[in-house]
Amino acid sequence: MSNKHSIDDLRARLFEVIDGVKSGAVSIEQGKVIGDISQVIVNSAKVEVDYLRGTQRESRFIERAEAVDELDEDSPGITATVRHLIRR
């Protein structure tokens, strides 16, 4: 088994599981187990990000975003922002 997956791969698989639970192809119990395992992966990625901040190393799991000054002239840059609020 390869560990060369990315956060995007995890996200895609989780959406597949959600669709599978909705369609009945994946049981609720299986979905819960997959969700729990995914949470462990996300928590380990958070630890990795903290480590990378301190060491300035590259992650193999989370792609590094391009710096704004590295964008080429044809890049649209930031075209919109979205603000999410939690209602009480």
Side-chain angles (χ1 to χ4, degrees), residues 66-81:
E66 287 185 63
V68 173
D69 59 347
E70 295 174 7
L71 295 175
D72 61 12
E73 293 177 11
D74 298 328
S75 175
I78 298 172
T79 59
T81 60

Side-chain angles (χ1 to χ4, degrees), residues 8-68:
D8 293 326
D9 297 329
L10 175 61
R11 188 176 292 120
R13 288 185 185 251
L14 288 174
F15 280 114
E16 289 172 5
V17 171
I18 290 170
D19 292 339
V21 170
K22 285 181 173 181
S23 71
V26 175
S27 72
I28 292 174
E29 185 62 31
Q30 288 172 317
K32 287 180 182 179
V33 169
I34 292 168
D36 291 344
I37 293 168
S38 298
Q39 188 60 53
V40 171
I41 294 169
V42 168
N43 289 340
S44 71
K46 288 178 183 179
V47 171
E48 181 180 352
V49 167
D50 288 341
Y51 173 77
L52 296 172
R53 280 188 187 133
T55 62
Q56 301 300 313
R57 294 185 179 185
E58 296 283 325
S59 172
R60 293 183 311 198
F61 184 63
I62 302 171
E63 286 187 29
R64 185 180 185 126
E66 287 185 63
V68 173

